[in-house]
Amino acid sequence: MRAYAMLGPDKTGWIEKDYPECGPLDAICRPIALASCTSDVHTVWENALGPRVDLTLGHEGVGEIVEVGELVRDFKVGDKVLVAAITPDWGSVAAQGGYAQHSGGMLGGWKYSNIKDGMFAEFFHVNEADANLALVPEGMDLGVAAMLSDMLPTGFHGAEMANVQFGDSVCVVGIGPVGLMAVRGAYLRGAGRIMAVGTRPNCVDVAQQYGATDIISYKEGPIFDQVMDMTGGEGVDKVIIAGGDVDTFEEAVNMVKPGGIVSNINYLGSGDYIKIPREGWGVGMGHKTVVGGLMPGGRRRLEKLAAMILNSRVDPSLLITHRREGLDALEEILFLMRDKPADLIKPVTIIEW
Ligand code: NDP
Ligand code: ZN
């Protein structure tokens, strides 16, 4: 079968791969919608995971089941399914501890385009189908359904880890598709003021539609200074980081109030350490929590988040700026994500077989 893969550092292309093997609990799907991700870009062009050779890319998509293992109970051939980017081993001790995304070791639930072949192929494998898939709700647009793999669950996880409360002031640093979902997540959890940091006009517009009350450009001076000016020197209750780099933590810790939380969902593709400022962190006694996490996966979560779309709590269609057709568009949507033209938020390709 054909697969679009990372051939080595900085190199991608089409290769031939074997049809995946379906274990008793597993399913094999054909992709019917696929999206590229900034994480694919970190993997290929920033060496973020280390060298990978002939690893099929892609972890965001919707599938149609073509094969199920003999122990799969709830899905059958022909079902159209939501697939989470993170597909944990649900019987693991890590899952029993509430952190399924780290089953098999830290970040071990992140299998696609990391420790196994991803979805950018004619067929892809799903482990533990009953636990890691959910049916695509009747009538849901396939591009929107693809946003349930990673964008919506990751952005919302940023708001969850920040433990956003009614009336909280929240600064969301970075409003690409992930940060935009964090803006919406913070809004839905009852944030009062939401300051969104970014510059691309499309993203700024969608941030406002999702509930941002203020926009900050990181290009017009330090974010910290701007947040302090806007809050009369108080800072914010919560910061969600969905853009920037290892240095962004310095500003985030400085601008969060004592007792506040800095919640990171950004994939730190380079640098050895993040910067936590000694004074800004209350010389070690400021009760400022710094937390970072990989999105949780799982069928229950997919179904719950899909219900939020169905009931118009969140509209991920606003993220999709570029729609293409067919498997052959994969290279284009990956390069769009790398080059980030000014009008891009998220590209998808819809595949008819
Ligand atoms: P984008 O590149 O589309 O967006 C990045 C945002 O950060 C943009 O708004 C950009 O502004 C802004 N930005 C860039 N530089 C700075 C800076 N120096 N200071 C502040 N803001 C800055 O990324 P995505 O939304 O696609 O992804 C965001 C991150 O989330 C990525 O690192 C991705 O890998 C990661 N991720 C994490 C997952 C998880 O499970 N934790 C899952 C999926 C993705 P501008 O408007 O100027 O472009
Ligand atoms: Zn992704």
Side-chain angles (χ1 to χ4, degrees):
M1 65 172 194
R2 291 171 74 214
Y4 192 78
M6 172 171 179
L7 309 178
D10 305 326
K11 264 209 234 136
T12 60
W14 287 100
I15 55 173
E16 280 295 316
K17 281 259 172 174
D18 291 337
Y19 177 85
E21 204 174 305
C22 187
L25 293 168
D26 306 343
I28 306 298
C29 294
R30 274 182 185 290
I32 53 176
L34 290 168
S36 56
C37 179
T38 307
S39 300
D40 294 309
V41 174
H42 292 305
T43 301
V44 176
W45 287 283
E46 287 182 27
N47 196 30
L49 299 171
R52 295 283 193 276
V53 176
D54 292 351
L55 175 78
T56 306
L57 291 166
H59 55 268
E60 298 184 19
V62 185
E64 181 174 331
I65 297 180
V66 297
E67 186 179 350
V68 286
E70 71 258 24
L71 297 179
V72 173
R73 291 175 312 234
D74 300 335
F75 296 95
K76 58 182 190 315
V77 170
D79 283 346
K80 293 189 166 63
V81 285
L82 305 169
V83 192
I86 304 305
T87 51
D89 303 319
W90 290 95
S92 64
V93 174
Q96 290 174 27
Y99 288 91
Q101 58 273 63
H102 302 295
S103 60
M106 190 161 61
L107 309 183
W110 173 12
K111 298 180 195 285
Y112 289 126
S113 62
N114 180 11
I115 54 177
K116 82 175 197 190
D117 282 323
M119 299 177 188
F120 285 4
E122 288 179 275
F123 301 96
F124 65 88
H125 172 263
V126 184
N127 59 296
E128 297 188 25
D130 282 325
N132 283 316
L133 294 176
L135 290 175
V136 177
E138 197 65 40
M140 185 179 279
D141 172 79
L142 292 179
V144 165
M147 298 302 108
L148 280 164
S149 293
D150 189 359
M151 295 299 95
L152 198 152
T154 295
F156 278 25
H157 194 45
E160 280 171 330
M161 288 188 297
N163 194 18
V164 175
Q165 301 290 315
F166 292 134
D168 271 355
S169 52
V170 181
C171 179
V172 179
V173 181
I175 45 169
V178 172
L180 286 170
M181 282 291 117
V183 167
R184 189 65 187 170
Y187 170 86
L188 287 166
R189 288 182 63 109
R193 195 171 185 184
I194 302 176
M195 300 166 180
V197 181
T199 66
R200 279 179 278 157
N202 267 358
C203 296
V204 167
D205 177 47
V206 175
Q208 286 165 329
Q209 293 189 58
Y210 281 162
T213 51
D214 305 82
I215 302 295
I216 292 173
S217 165
Y218 61 94
K219 293 180 180 165
E220 285 171 16
I223 304 165
F224 169 74
D225 293 349
Q226 299 186 60
V227 167
M228 286 300 159
D229 280 351
M230 292 163 90
T231 58
E234 274 200 9
V236 288
D237 296 305
K238 309 286 164 62
V239 179
I240 302 172
I241 303 183
D245 54 26
V246 290
D247 293 336
T248 308
F249 287 81
E250 182 166 17
E251 293 205 273
V253 170
N254 281 334
M255 72 170 110
V256 80
K257 291 180 198 173
I261 300 175
V262 174
S263 158
N264 178 75
I265 41 176
N266 197 14
Y267 174 176
L268 299 166
S270 55
D272 290 326
Y273 298 96
I274 66 164
K275 252 191 205 165
I276 296 184
R278 183 181 60 83
E279 282 190 28
W281 204 43
V283 293
M285 296 174 283
H287 289 107
K288 295 186 176 187
T289 303
V290 179
V291 58
L294 180 67
M295 62 160 266
R299 173 174 170 184
R300 181 168 173 270
R301 174 123 173 142
L302 281 169
E303 290 174 351
K304 283 189 155 195
L305 295 179
M308 297 188 78
I309 298 176
L310 289 176
N311 292 290
S312 306
R313 304 296 182 212
V314 53
D315 176 9
S317 72
L318 301 184
L319 301 179
I320 303 169
T321 50
H322 293 61
R323 279 182 187 264
R324 298 290 182 264
E325 281 175 15
L327 213 54
D328 287 337
L330 284 176
E331 179 157 282
E332 186 192 352
I333 65 166
L334 177 68
F335 281 63
L336 276 167
M337 219 49 201
R338 183 190 66 176
D339 301 336
K340 303 252 158 83
D343 62 343
L344 179 97
I345 302 181
K346 192 82 178 175
V348 297
T349 183
I350 307 296
I351 303 137
E352 280 188 36
W353 295 93

